[in-house]
Amino acid sequence: MTTGLIPGGQNPDPRPTGGLPQQRHAPVGQAALHVDNRSRSSVITARAAASFEPVGRSVATARSFVRDTLQGWGFADIVDDAVVLTSELVTNAVVHAGTSADVLCLRSDDGVRVEVADRYPEREIPLQGQAVNMGNLDREGGRGLQLCAALAGRWGVEYTPTHKQVWFQLDLPERPVGTRTAGPSLPADLLPLADGRVRVAVVQIDRTCAITSWNEDAEELFGYAAEQVIGKPLTDLAAWPHTPGTGTGIAEALQLSRWEGSYGIRAANGRVASVYASHLRVRDTGGEPSTVCLLVRDHERAVLQTPLRVPTSDTTTSSDGQSTDPFEVFIGSPAPDDLDGLLQRTVERARDMLDGDSAFLLLATDDETELEVRASTGLPSARQRFARVPVEAGPGRYGSARMPAVHDDLLAVPGAVPLLSGTGMRSVVTVPLKVEGRLTGSLGVAAEGPGRYSNEEALRLQFAADRIALAVESARLGELERLRRGSLSFLVEASDLLAGTLDRDQTLALMAQMTVPTLATWCAVYTIADQASDPYLSYVLHEDEELIDGIKSLLSKVQPPDPVPTPGARVWSAPGEAAHQAALRSSMRSLGLSGGPTHQLASGIGPTLATASAVGGETVVLPLVARNRVIGMLTLGKPADEHFRQEILELAEDLSRRAALALDNARLYSERTAISQSLQRSLLPPELPEIDGVEVEVIYRAAGEGNEVGGDFYDVFPISDGAYGFAIGDVCGTGPNAAAVTGLARHALRLLAREGLSGPAVLERLNSAILDEGARSRFLTLLYGELWPQEDGSARLKVVCAGHPLPLRLRQDGTVEPAAEPQPLLGVMEDLELYEETVTLDPGDVLLCVTDGVTERREGTRMLGDDGLADVLTTCTGLTAGAVAARIMRAVERFASDAPSDDMAILAMRVPGLHQD
């Protein structure tokens, strides 16, 4: 089909120039041809032309062309008559005459003229003055001229040697002034208030939102002269209310065909004037669109505001004279409260109303690009629930869900209604559900026999659809609001759970447990270690635990989905296909068709078929993207014959984003924890050496969760044959910074001591090394000593106590005394004068060395202190070194109920003597 539009001016003669047209005049009498002799000299304001091929579908296309043209011209009152007449005349041309048809629509001041021409002039030309047989009313064809005579104000037939043309003219009806939107008469005190003179600003906006016209009332209302604003965007002046949840702005409102509402205009004085506006989108004779805006002061909105009116056709009268809502007549009373109940009753009533075998109802997505099956009756399977089909399934009227359609036989047009494929339905009628011109759904009724429905049934079904569309949309919005509230609660709870753990395996389990069964019947999580690694099946969960192993085994044999970073869910058909093949092989083996014994395989067919049914529905994959990298995939599945709702997929996408970040955080935490633990373990001394004649025991506790090394440290190491070094120290502070100085001190002590230096020399060089660290240096208290076991069973020690808590000596008689004198700590002064003290431990004596985390253990205002430690030590007479250290640690832990806030180290050395174990 080719179309063209020539607006404005005088109408060019559309007739061929190959010969003079012949026009027949009708005689007076019954069934006469009413032919107009008046020349076409009226002013033509617009012209639209189209050509149609000689095929059956051209009739419907011609109807749509005429309907769209007249509605675009604003002639809705005569659209139906024009469409009926055009349909008959084009049918005569393309169906009966078998030629192409040319349709010409002419707009004039007083009406519309439509001309239909074909290329089959070899017809009998009725002579003037003769009666013409208009045909039997019961015949299929031959009624075109009868309809022209009955519906058109003027009509005629014109012949040329190559063309035949039938034309008709429809006059616009005259409407009495004030009767279309008349309101009741009101007393003067009830009329809306307005200023002495109501000013209506008329502003015209072009397609770029720029002002092209600004009248005097606009100048008066807002203070701008026309030359100040013409050419500027209206958006510069409009103060549009930004309502949360509303995406429409002034630019969008200007693109709508009609709009009414309130906003503000920034006046020349800088203030915002509240206005009530009515926008109308128009097109000039050149086809250029623009918007005409009428604006009044907001308190004078009654001048422009469209009153709410209830059409009289929306109510009917029952037998007892009471008004009845047509919605209740169709749905029944009481109406179902829930959306699913309302939709199910709708399809059942629609099927019964048209005496169909099945019915179905689909709801449109928010962007009106797809329809989702929400209710059906009479169909052989429920597999269609939540399945999605495109709104525009093909070219032409019957390929769009936006227009009513009647299909006489689906076998003649396979796939015309994909929803009914394989159901045995032959004829179907579908109508759209619309609310305020927006497509919200589609309602259809189907029958097993062909040719069951006509346009009359389509009109009846459309009437019902118009009555229920608003109720269905209200129920859908209510359900959507409840679903969104539930989704927000679900996501908040999911975020809390995912944020509560940094363990990778626990995060994987939480991801699956949150999706099953809330979002899906089963779930599988694939993880990707790095960009060079393949996806790995890490976790599988099904609401029936007995099926988990079967699904895991099936997925392990299927190639994992591709790690595509594109957001959103994508369908993955591999699991369903693999399950189907596995079930088919199992069934064949159980029937002995595979050539092997059947009794050995019969026990395995049950789980295989159950697994196939579990994963036989729709399966979708959502990428787990964190920090611009795909770290895995979340796979959700439904059992056989089930589909996902769009709202569920959107919720799953939100969950996948949160889960991906939680999973990546768990991975990073695990990696950093492993690194931290490895580094901390390197700071701890190796196993304690075995010292002949001396028991040595150490207990070490680092403060803080996850810390293995803090600011306290200890070491016992061999220096030379028969000589051993020991140390216990405390770096100022805790955590990694203190641990760094700890490592420096421990390794430096070993190195310097093995160089044969004395204790004071070792500590002086360590002091210089700490000061060389500069800003990273820290204070350090240190007790360093060297030990020589003696042949008589005693042990000789040389000790230097640099600012550290003094070591305590426990004798066999239970007395406790300090074993050294206090000296300056390290890391403060460059020049230190340190000295060493000699101590001899007799058999049975214990030397206890601790850090200040032990002596400064607090409970409120109480502190354990040196005296408290000495009191505990007096009770340790006769105990081994390990028992002494354990008793000291228990006493420290029991002293206060709170967890220790400082590092603690306990080093106990005991000389058992020659004859003691």
Side-chain angles (χ1 to χ4, degrees):
M1 181 189 78
T2 58
T3 61
L5 180 66
I6 303 176
Q10 202 73 12
N11 174 39
D13 195 344
R15 296 172 297 179
T17 58
L20 295 176
Q22 302 183 27
Q23 187 175 38
R24 303 304 302 173
H25 301 278
V28 180
Q30 187 177 3
L33 288 170
H34 295 276
V35 182
D36 183 21
N37 284 328
R38 190 186 67 176
S39 63
R40 290 180 293 168
S41 59
S42 58
V43 176
I44 303 301
T45 58
R47 173 181 179 269
S51 298
F52 303 93
E53 298 297 327
V55 292
R57 65 175 180 271
S58 294
V59 179
T61 309
R63 287 197 297 264
S64 299
F65 163 70
V66 173
R67 180 182 298 277
D68 294 342
T69 299
L70 269 59
Q71 286 180 341
W73 289 347
F75 295 159
D77 295 326
I78 59 175
V79 164
D80 293 336
D81 289 348
V83 168
V84 169
L85 294 177
T86 303
S87 178
E88 289 292 333
L89 298 179
V90 174
T91 300
N92 291 337
V94 302
V95 176
H96 300 300
T99 73
S100 60
D102 299 326
V103 179
L104 176 66
C105 299
L106 303 173
R107 181 181 70 183
S108 62
D109 299 334
D110 54 354
V112 171
R113 175 181 172 121
V114 179
E115 300 177 355
V116 179
D118 62 45
R119 296 174 177 82
Y120 193 79
E122 294 85 3
R123 292 293 182 92
E124 180 182 356
I125 301 176
L127 297 177
Q128 185 176 3
Q130 292 183 345
V132 178
N133 183 10
M134 302 297 290
N136 192 333
L137 293 177
D138 296 330
R139 291 177 55 193
E140 179 181 357
R143 297 194 299 264
L145 299 183
Q146 281 184 310
L147 289 174
C148 289
L151 300 178
R154 291 179 295 277
W155 63 277
V157 182
E158 300 177 358
Y159 289 90
T160 70
T162 58
H163 286 73
K164 174 174 68 67
Q165 178 177 280
V166 180
W167 62 269
F168 61 87
Q169 181 160 336
L170 298 174
D171 298 328
L172 295 178
E174 295 183 1
R175 300 189 182 94
V177 177
T179 59
R180 291 191 71 186
T181 57
S185 59
L186 295 175
D189 56 346
L190 297 180
L191 294 176
L193 292 176
D195 292 342
R197 177 188 173 188
V198 176
R199 298 186 180 276
V200 180
V202 181
V203 182
Q204 192 159 1
I205 314 296
D206 63 14
R207 66 165 66 227
T208 64
C209 294
I211 300 173
T212 60
S213 177
W214 185 269
N215 72 340
E216 294 180 358
D217 282 354
E219 295 182 7
E220 184 67 26
L221 286 175
F222 309 121
Y224 298 107
E227 57 270 12
Q228 293 179 275
V229 295
I230 288 180
K232 294 184 178 180
L234 182 64
T235 53
D236 292 351
L237 304 179
W240 190 259
H242 294 285
T243 305
T246 302
T248 304
I250 180 65
E252 289 80 4
L254 293 173
Q255 300 297 322
L256 299 176
S257 58
R258 269 191 185 280
W259 186 87
E260 272 191 33
S262 299
Y263 55 91
I265 295 293
R266 295 182 181 86
N269 58 11
R271 297 182 179 180
V272 175
S274 297
V275 297
Y276 189 84
S278 176
H279 299 172
L280 176 64
R281 191 82 164 157
V282 298
R283 181 183 63 181
D284 62 17
T285 55
E288 185 69 17
S290 62
T291 303
V292 177
C293 306
L294 305 181
L295 303 97
V296 297
R297 297 182 181 93
D298 193 61
H299 66 273
E300 297 175 345
R301 63 170 57 197
V303 177
L304 299 180
Q305 191 171 26
T306 302
L308 298 177
R309 300 186 301 275
V310 179
T312 57
S313 59
D314 283 352
T315 58
T316 58
T317 305
S318 60
S319 57
D320 57 0
Q322 297 181 351
S323 177
T324 305
D325 187 356
F327 170 76
E328 293 186 358
V329 173
F330 180 71
I331 293 297
S333 183
D337 295 331
D338 61 312
L339 176 62
D340 290 336
L342 176 61
L343 299 182
Q344 192 60 35
R345 186 177 295 185
T346 297
V347 296
E348 292 171 357
R349 293 298 172 87
R351 179 195 60 185
D352 296 341
M353 182 180 71
L354 298 187
D355 192 22
D357 297 311
S358 65
F360 52 89
L361 193 148
L362 303 88
L363 295 183
T365 56
D366 291 339
D367 56 3
E368 297 185 32
T369 60
E370 289 186 315
L371 295 167
E372 189 176 63
V373 181
R374 293 299 302 271
S376 63
T377 181
L379 294 179
S381 173
R383 69 181 185 277
Q384 307 293 351
R385 183 165 171 80
F386 299 124
R388 289 175 294 278
V389 297
V391 171
E392 307 292 344
R397 168 180 174 180
Y398 294 110
S400 173
R402 302 181 187 276
M403 298 291 289
V406 178
H407 294 274
D408 290 333
D409 193 349
L410 293 178
L411 294 182
V413 189
V417 184
L419 181 64
L420 300 179
S421 298
T423 61
M425 300 298 156
R426 297 282 298 274
S427 55
V428 60
V429 53
T430 61
V431 296
L433 275 68
K434 293 185 177 182
V435 175
E436 296 180 351
R438 183 173 60 86
L439 179 70
T440 60
S442 178
L443 177 63
V445 177
E448 296 179 354
R452 286 279 299 275
Y453 303 115
S454 63
N455 288 339
E456 181 180 353
E457 284 78 12
L459 289 175
R460 292 177 59 196
L461 189 62
Q462 185 68 71
F463 180 83
D466 292 341
R467 292 302 181 272
I468 66 169
L470 184 58
V472 169
E473 180 67 2
S474 298
R476 187 189 74 85
L477 292 176
E479 181 197 60
L480 186 60
E481 180 64 24
R482 289 190 296 271
L483 182 61
R484 286 176 176 170
R485 289 182 180 179
S487 300
L488 290 175
S489 301
F490 173 79
L491 291 175
V492 168
E493 182 179 357
S495 299
D496 290 341
L497 291 174
L498 292 171
T501 179
L502 288 172
D503 182 79
R504 176 183 176 277
D505 294 336
Q506 189 174 3
T507 302
L508 290 173
L510 283 174
M511 290 170 58
Q513 292 167 6
M514 285 185 293
T515 57
V516 176
T518 305
L519 305 181
T521 307
W522 64 271
C523 167
V525 183
Y526 290 85
T527 56
I528 303 175
D530 51 60
Q531 295 181 353
S533 302
D534 294 329
Y536 174 75
L537 182 61
S538 299
Y539 202 91
V540 176
L541 183 64
H542 191 281
E543 59 184 5
D544 185 354
E545 294 183 358
E546 296 181 356
L547 298 176
I548 294 178
D549 291 338
I551 297 176
K552 187 181 299 183
S553 176
L554 176 69
L555 293 178
S556 64
K557 301 174 183 177
V558 177
Q559 187 71 18
D562 295 331
V564 179
T566 305
R570 54 191 173 93
V571 177
W572 186 32
S573 59
E577 295 173 355
H580 176 74
Q581 294 297 327
L584 182 60
R585 289 193 299 269
S586 246
S587 301
M588 294 179 65
R589 287 196 299 266
S590 67
L591 296 174
L593 300 178
S594 59
T598 62
H599 64 278
Q600 298 178 356
L601 300 170
S603 61
I605 186 173
T608 302
L609 293 178
T611 302
S613 177
V615 301
E618 188 175 36
T619 303
V620 297
V621 177
L622 297 105
L624 297 175
V625 181
R627 298 174 176 89
N628 298 322
R629 187 175 72 89
V630 180
I631 63 172
M633 284 88 69
L634 177 64
T635 303
L636 306 179
K638 287 282 190 180
D641 300 337
E642 290 195 20
H643 297 266
F644 284 98
R645 296 181 58 178
Q646 186 64 30
E647 294 86 354
I648 295 298
L649 293 179
E650 293 173 357
L651 180 58
E653 185 177 356
D654 287 339
L655 175 64
S656 68
R657 287 194 291 267
R658 290 165 169 80
L661 189 59
L663 183 61
D664 198 48
N665 288 338
R667 177 188 63 83
L668 294 175
Y669 177 77
S670 299
E671 291 177 356
R672 280 154 178 74
T673 300
I675 295 173
S676 174
Q677 291 175 348
S678 177
L679 292 175
Q680 290 185 65
R681 291 191 188 102
S682 68
L683 299 178
L684 293 174
E687 295 181 358
L688 297 178
E690 294 287 342
I691 304 177
D692 293 337
V694 178
E695 297 175 358
V696 179
E697 184 64 32
V698 173
I699 295 179
Y700 184 81
R701 297 284 189 273
E705 183 179 358
N707 291 332
E708 296 189 22
V709 177
D712 293 4
F713 68 96
Y714 68 93
D715 200 2
V716 180
F717 56 92
I719 298 176
S720 60
D721 292 340
Y724 296 87
F726 66 91
I728 184 170
D730 184 4
V731 178
C732 176
T734 59
N737 293 329
V741 180
T742 295
L744 170 66
R746 192 179 68 80
H747 290 91
L749 284 175
R750 285 196 173 210
L751 180 64
L752 295 172
R754 287 170 178 171
E755 291 293 325
L757 300 176
S758 63
V762 169
L763 267 61
E764 289 171 1
R765 284 167 173 77
L766 176 60
N767 180 65
S768 299
I770 294 174
L771 292 175
D772 288 343
E773 291 293 306
R776 295 183 299 176
S777 65
R778 288 173 175 265
F779 304 150
L780 172 64
T781 67
L782 180 64
L783 172 64
Y784 173 73
E786 296 177 356
L787 179 147
W788 291 270
Q790 303 299 310
E791 294 181 357
D792 61 357
S794 64
R796 184 167 61 89
L797 290 78
K798 291 185 177 181
V799 181
V800 180
C801 185
H804 199 77
L806 301 178
L808 299 179
R809 176 180 181 179
L810 171 65
R811 296 183 181 274
Q812 284 187 331
D813 59 3
T815 60
V816 176
E817 60 184 5
E821 296 290 334
Q823 299 185 55
L825 74 165
L826 308 182
V828 178
M829 299 178 294
E830 293 184 359
D831 297 327
L832 290 179
E833 295 183 0
L834 301 175
Y835 59 90
E836 59 184 7
E837 301 173 73
T838 302
V839 179
T840 300
L841 295 181
D842 297 327
D845 289 355
V846 175
L847 184 68
L848 178 66
C849 309
V850 299
T851 57
D852 60 3
V854 174
T855 56
E856 295 180 0
R857 177 73 165 150
R858 294 178 179 275
E859 175 67 23
T861 59
R862 297 187 307 118
M863 186 173 69
L864 179 62
D866 296 333
D867 295 338
L869 179 63
D871 292 341
V872 177
L873 184 59
T874 58
T875 65
C876 299
T877 304
L879 298 181
T880 64
V884 172
R887 178 170 291 187
I888 296 297
M889 179 56 70
R890 285 198 301 270
V892 172
E893 291 176 343
R894 292 173 179 173
F895 187 80
S897 57
D898 296 338
S901 59
D902 195 5
D903 304 328
M904 292 186 294
I906 300 174
L907 171 62
M909 292 185 294
R910 177 176 178 267
V911 181
L914 293 177
H915 304 290
Q916 299 184 29
D917 295 331

